[in-house]
Amino acid sequence: MDTLKLSRFFMSLTTCQHALHAIDARKYHFNPADLIQLCREFNTRSLFMVAFQRLVDKKLYEITEADVLKMGNTVFIAIAQLRDVLEEHRHIVATEPPMIAKHVEDCNNPVRCAQDWYAIWWNGMGRFLLDGRCTLTFEEAFKCFEGLQFGQMAEGCKSAMLQLVKDSDAFLHGRLYVKEVATRLVNTLIMEDNEEI
Ligand SMILES: [Zn+2]
């Protein structure tokens, strides 16, 4: 970062690009708020998405006043609003088990099979996704969920439903929304991209 500031002092584009490449290679070592500030100051978009995603993944109380000053109010408000939307989406996924559209032929008791599926979803995915003390990602929650006992569900119904959940990527909507907001912010806040970076 110091090299970057020096490059601006000496108006050197090459040094600036070199410094940005060096930061890009070690981007996970930097505070994401610093990276957002850097993107805004040096008109580069390349680090914005990664830094923004890392900020969205943080708890709001982990973001300090100094971080807010660095990233700016617009970015901070967008993060706070996004976290609300993502939390709502997580609740919907946790509390709305996918329906069993069709039971396999050797499912002896479809009613009982469905009841067990819903109960295990509630007690499994519901608990894993909504546990405030230990928030798991969807992938982590699913991994724990598929290891549970599925009561009297027919083996074929259970496998089909687990595959359905695995393929559905229930959090995809959330991830796309984060990308959409980040793109809007980049287009609004960073007028000129340094194309050569
Ligand atoms: Zn069944």
Side-chain angles (χ1 to χ4, degrees):
M1 291 244 183
D2 288 341
T3 314
L4 202 53
K5 282 169 187 162
L6 274 176
S7 78
R8 186 162 56 179
F9 184 72
F10 291 113
M11 308 278 286
S12 164
L13 183 62
T14 314
T15 312
C16 175
Q17 285 172 354
H18 174 75
L20 283 171
H21 277 301
I23 292 169
D24 189 55
R26 300 183 65 244
K27 54 184 173 282
Y28 292 102
H29 294 274
F30 289 95
N31 175 351
D34 283 332
L35 295 178
I36 297 279
Q37 185 182 35
L38 183 152
C39 289
R40 299 186 67 170
E41 275 187 27
F42 290 86
N43 272 332
T44 178
R45 300 176 176 197
S46 62
L47 296 161
F48 194 94
M49 287 286 183
V50 172
F52 187 74
Q53 180 67 61
R54 280 177 59 201
L55 285 165
V56 171
D57 290 340
K58 276 181 177 242
K59 299 278 181 202
L60 278 185
Y61 60 74
E62 291 172 338
I63 297 177
T64 65
E65 210 175 322
D67 289 337
V68 177
L69 280 173
K70 286 174 189 167
M71 72 179 89
N73 284 339
T74 311
V75 176
F76 178 66
I77 290 167
I79 288 166
Q81 289 174 340
L82 249 176
R83 285 200 57 88
D84 249 13
V85 172
L86 294 177
E87 210 44 48
E88 204 174 289
H89 184 59
R90 175 182 277 268
H91 273 75
I92 292 170
V93 173
T95 54
E96 289 184 5
M99 276 179 60
I100 304 179
K102 193 170 179 286
H103 291 265
V104 292
E105 271 182 27
D106 61 352
C107 177
N108 297 324
N109 190 342
V111 175
R112 185 61 201 257
C113 181
Q115 282 172 345
D116 280 358
W117 168 249
Y118 295 133
I120 294 152
W121 182 276
W122 264 99
N123 294 322
M125 288 301 267
R127 185 161 54 86
F128 297 139
L129 291 175
L130 299 179
D131 185 345
R133 286 161 302 178
C134 169
T135 317
L136 303 177
T137 64
F138 182 74
E139 288 76 17
E140 290 165 344
F142 180 74
K143 219 167 224 173
C144 299
F145 177 67
E146 65 181 346
L148 295 175
Q149 298 291 320
F150 283 75
Q152 293 186 38
M153 273 191 89
E155 198 51 41
C157 293
K158 172 193 150 186
S159 308
M161 289 311 288
L162 286 177
Q163 195 59 47
L164 179 84
V165 176
K166 204 171 181 177
D167 293 344
S168 71
D169 196 353
F171 281 2
L172 180 66
H173 175 77
R175 282 196 290 272
L176 290 176
Y177 191 55
V178 173
K179 205 172 167 192
E180 193 184 308
V181 173
T183 306
R184 182 169 49 77
L185 285 169
V186 157
N187 290 335
T188 316
L189 301 172
I190 302 171
M191 294 304 167
E192 290 178 22
D193 195 7
N194 187 340
E195 299 293 347
E196 294 177 52
I197 304 297

